[in-house]
Amino acid sequence: DVQLQASGGGLVQAGGSLRLSCTGSGFSFDDYVIGWFRRAPGKEREAVSCIESRTDTTYTADSVKGRFTISGDNAVNTVYLQMNKLLPEDTAVYYCAAQLTGKEYYSSSNYGYWGQGTLVTVSS
């Protein structure tokens, strides 16, 4: 079965860094678009960054551009989200998701597989 597991969240102070990992099983990441989404308290879920390994195409939200970087390692079926210069407004549960069709990366409705999420808390 297709499964995703997100990890790497934690508590950091503003300006700090974290690296989130999304590891898949039951499929090859080379065939899928992998996306990171987040849901902050009181806010709707939003796309953070996505990657299509086959074409090395990425999408990054303006709110995190220049601070977050997505990358993948197909050898271990893992996608990373390097988060630098973290801000309190980055506090959220972060989810990784996968889609096979390659539709609009930023739309959560296009992703059929979801991990359980990992909590990132940034203190001021």
Side-chain angles (χ1 to χ4, degrees):
D1 293 345
V2 174
Q3 295 187 80
L4 296 167
Q5 185 172 37
S7 62
L11 174 63
V12 297
Q13 289 190 313
S17 298
L18 285 173
R19 188 180 73 164
L20 306 184
S21 298
C22 174
T23 300
S25 62
F27 68 104
S28 173
F29 274 24
D30 191 51
D31 299 323
Y32 288 76
V33 175
I34 306 298
W36 284 101
F37 295 80
R38 68 184 183 186
R39 189 175 71 184
K43 297 183 179 180
E44 296 183 353
R45 182 172 55 190
E46 64 175 347
V48 178
S49 192
C50 312
I51 184 169
E52 183 181 47
S53 297
R54 182 178 59 82
T55 61
D56 198 27
T57 301
T58 62
Y59 162 84
T60 305
D62 289 341
S63 60
V64 303
K65 192 170 297 183
R67 300 188 296 118
F68 293 7
T69 302
I70 192 169
S71 62
D73 186 347
N74 289 337
V76 293
N77 242 32
T78 300
V79 168
Y80 305 97
L81 185 67
Q82 180 65 47
M83 309 165 67
N84 298 326
K85 301 178 181 179
L86 284 161
L87 301 169
E89 50 262 44
D90 294 319
T91 295
V93 177
Y94 285 72
Y95 301 88
C96 65
Q99 63 160 305
L100 182 60
T101 59
K103 296 181 179 179
E104 290 84 355
Y105 298 164
Y106 50 82
S107 178
S108 62
S109 63
N110 291 324
Y111 292 79
Y113 306 98
W114 292 83
Q116 84 286 2
T118 185
L119 176 63
V120 172
T121 303
V122 184
S123 62
S124 60

